[in-house]
């Protein structure tokens, strides 16, 4: 039994990797900014604040990208089903 190789699996894995990297990068950048401000003011509140802002911004950007990809895949699915429907309609018509 030979299994069919589907390249879309790798596209979905790439999407998961992108989401994880976007979230982690925003958290890291937020921590770095918080650390810099914390070193100037001698107050650790900045680390916590910017770490929290990094988490929020990372999740926001990741979810926005996931929604864009879902909309793109939905449009692809709709065009495929529409083209199949049109092909079936053309094949079932009778010529006089």
């Amino acid at each position: 039994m030979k299994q069919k190789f589907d390249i879309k699996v790798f596209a979905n894995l790439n999407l998961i990797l992108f989401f994880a990297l976007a979230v982690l990068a925003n958290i890291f950048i937020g921590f770095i900014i918080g650390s810099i401000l914390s070193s100037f003011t001698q107050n650790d509140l900045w680390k916590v604040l910017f770490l929290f802002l990094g988490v929020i911004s990372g999740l926001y950007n990741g979810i926005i990208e996931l929604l864009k990809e879902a909309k793109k895949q939905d449009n692809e699915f709709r065009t495929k089903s529409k083209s199949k429907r049109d092909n079936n309609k053309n094949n079932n018509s009778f010529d006089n």
Side-chain angles (χ1 to χ4, degrees), residues 28-43:
F28 181 71
I29 296 298
F31 181 75
I32 294 296
I33 293 171
S35 295
I36 291 169
L37 287 174
S38 177
S39 68
F40 287 135
T41 62
Q42 305 301 326
N43 191 355

Side-chain angles (χ1 to χ4, degrees), residues 50-67:
F50 277 92
L51 187 64
F52 181 70
L53 289 174
V55 170
I56 298 288
S57 69
L59 289 175
Y60 177 77
N61 288 333
I63 289 172
I64 293 296
E65 283 298 320
L66 287 175
L67 290 175

Side-chain angles (χ1 to χ4, degrees), residues 5 8 17-18 22 24 29-30 41 43 49 52 60-61 67 87 95:
F5 181 72
K8 292 210 179 236
L17 180 66
F18 178 78
L24 290 175
I29 296 298
T41 62
N43 191 355
L49 178 68
F52 181 70
Y60 177 77
N61 288 333
L67 290 175
N87 285 340
D95 293 330

